[in-house]
Amino acid sequence: MLPKTQRWFAERVYSPERYTRFRTALEEAVGCRIEFRVCEAPIFVSNAFREQLERAAREITLQCASPEYRQLSEEAIPQAYRVPNEPEHPLFAVVDFAVVYENGDWGLRVVELQGFPSLFGYQYFYARLARQVYELGERWSYTFSGLSDEQYWDILRRAILAEHDPEEVVLIDYRPEQQKTRPDFTALERQLGIEAVDICSLRKEGNRLFRRRGRVWLPIRRVFNRAIVDELEEQRARLPFRWNEELEVEWAGHPNWYFRMSKFALPYLRHPTVPRACRLSECGELGPEELRGYVLKPLFSFAGKGVVLEPSREHLQAIPLQARQHYLLQERIVYAPCVYTPEGMNTVELRVMLVWLPEWQEPLPVMSLARTGRAAMMGVRYNDMPWAGSSGCLFGEALQEEP
């Protein structure tokens, strides 16, 4: 982490006028209004720390694809959501790290992980335009693994479209036009020609899926899945198909990996960045002193929903015995105040977004996402304040002229 560079940016580079130009350019690039808070500053990260992020995310994703873990995680997939023809590894993966400070240096702790795609389109434009509008220069890079812009979009094209025409591929979500992630959908449509379609609006005929364009129903060959089961259940969405039936469609990425590579994995991973964790059904009795060191999380919720930062015995006892296997007690992570802002020091989570094409032996880190703020929880919804919210990483080395 480079807190002095963050201060240099805030005091010598940033201005309200530049931030307004940046927001305007970002909305023009993605093609829609951004409804969540966009942080004034990118997160500056050293090349050495970037390599740590890449290595840790790759190692953790590989563990999740091991035969041993795949056997353990069979129970993570509910029968009603078990989709046929699962590949041996996820096509997309993300690992979220909290930045901590220990033994005199910056460190990483896993907060969450998903075998599910993230904001590949939006984050590219955030980082590229932050560098451009703030005139930071090409000494700062914004992709992982040294990828050029052309290489980055070629990998995404291969992952999302495969060999299909964009007209035969759809991005599905629940009411995508109302999702806060819509800027990512519109960015991908501009770059790859793939449309976002409401999962409830599809039609099934036999074992084929179709989507409507005007008065015509077009066959779907490949689905870029962004629909989250938790939200579908919460909204009681009525789908035209069952997840566990055999459909003549390709999945990018396969829905089963949403369950396998999730908080469910945390008790079974062996990595220096993974905090201690146990499923509530396996923890036994914990006293008040022990509980102070843990947070309580539902296994398959998203955006921080259902997380209890200071669980009590009453919280645990209120969860029915048959539901306890679906909750996790995770060691509390002490975030480091490491991002300078004029409003005070922020903490930060850094997301590594990976792609693992079928022909590759291991996953490749490709893009970052950052969330920063001063609230007790890190999600953008909890940090609607100046110099906080959604951000991205710029990688390089500290400037010599820093204060």
Side-chain angles (χ1 to χ4, degrees), residues 97-290:
F97 296 96
V99 175
V100 300
Y101 194 76
E102 55 189 8
N103 302 319
D105 204 356
W106 307 110
L108 298 170
R109 287 291 180 274
V110 172
V111 177
E112 201 152 339
L113 62 164
Q114 297 174 345
F116 192 77
S118 189
L119 308 185
F120 288 98
Y122 171 81
Q123 289 300 141
Y124 165 82
F125 285 108
Y126 177 97
R128 184 170 73 83
L129 289 171
R131 189 179 76 172
Q132 176 183 321
V133 175
Y134 289 118
E135 301 179 24
L136 297 169
E138 295 189 4
R139 67 187 301 276
W140 298 100
S141 62
Y142 47 80
T143 60
F144 283 120
S145 305
L147 297 176
S148 67
D149 289 15
E150 294 75 17
Q151 291 170 325
Y152 177 76
W153 285 108
D154 178 62
I155 289 169
L156 283 189
R157 188 171 291 106
R158 291 160 64 189
I160 295 173
L161 300 180
E163 303 299 323
H164 298 286
D165 187 281
E167 192 174 79
E168 300 175 318
V169 184
V170 294
L171 183 161
I172 61 168
D173 202 345
Y174 178 73
R175 297 182 179 176
E177 71 284 352
Q178 298 179 17
Q179 296 285 349
K180 287 192 175 181
T181 49
R182 183 168 174 256
D184 185 62
F185 303 163
T186 53
L188 291 173
E189 181 174 358
R190 286 189 165 193
Q191 290 293 121
L192 303 179
I194 177 175
E195 289 186 38
V197 176
D198 189 338
I199 189 172
C200 299
S201 72
L202 304 181
R203 172 189 286 182
K204 186 173 83 77
E205 295 181 7
N207 62 350
R208 300 288 301 279
L209 293 180
F210 295 80
R211 57 83 175 262
R212 188 170 186 170
R213 178 179 286 176
R215 297 184 178 181
V216 179
W217 287 92
L218 302 176
I220 299 171
R221 310 290 183 190
R222 188 171 175 87
V223 171
F224 181 43
N225 181 42
R226 298 290 292 272
I228 295 175
V229 167
D230 187 60
E231 182 177 22
L232 296 175
E233 290 188 343
E234 184 180 280
Q235 299 297 329
R236 299 183 180 179
R238 299 183 64 179
L239 307 188
F241 66 91
R242 297 189 310 276
W243 292 97
N244 58 11
E245 65 182 315
E246 191 86 37
L247 296 171
E248 194 175 326
V249 68
E250 298 174 7
W251 293 97
H254 197 280
N256 289 3
W257 281 100
Y258 172 79
F259 296 99
R260 287 193 190 276
M261 189 173 176
S262 65
K263 288 188 286 287
F264 179 92
L266 290 173
Y268 307 107
L269 295 173
R270 297 295 176 262
H271 195 273
T273 64
V274 177
R276 290 174 298 183
C278 65
R279 292 163 69 186
L280 190 54
S281 57
E282 301 171 355
C283 286
E285 287 294 323
L286 295 177
E289 290 299 320
E290 294 172 295

Side-chain angles (χ1 to χ4, degrees), residues 364-378:
L364 184 73
V366 296
M367 182 54 64
S368 72
L369 178 153
R371 292 179 293 233
T372 185
R374 299 175 293 283
M377 292 183 65
M378 192 52 67

Side-chain angles (χ1 to χ4, degrees), residues 11 35 59 71 73 82-83 95 110-111 124 150 154 172 202 229 239 272 322 332 339 352 368 375 377:
E11 295 180 347
E35 300 293 343
E59 291 169 352
Q71 183 63 38
S73 61
R82 185 179 289 275
V83 177
V95 186
V110 172
V111 177
Y124 165 82
E150 294 75 17
D154 178 62
I172 61 168
L202 304 181
V229 167
L239 307 188
Q322 65 272 21
R332 186 187 303 276
V339 177
V352 181
S368 72
M377 292 183 65

Side-chain angles (χ1 to χ4, degrees), residues 17-32 34 129 133:
E17 294 75 22
R18 270 184 165 171
Y19 176 64
T20 298
R21 290 206 308 271
F22 170 58
R23 277 292 308 255
T24 300
L26 187 53
E27 291 188 339
E28 288 176 352
V30 300
C32 75
I34 300 169
L129 289 171
V133 175

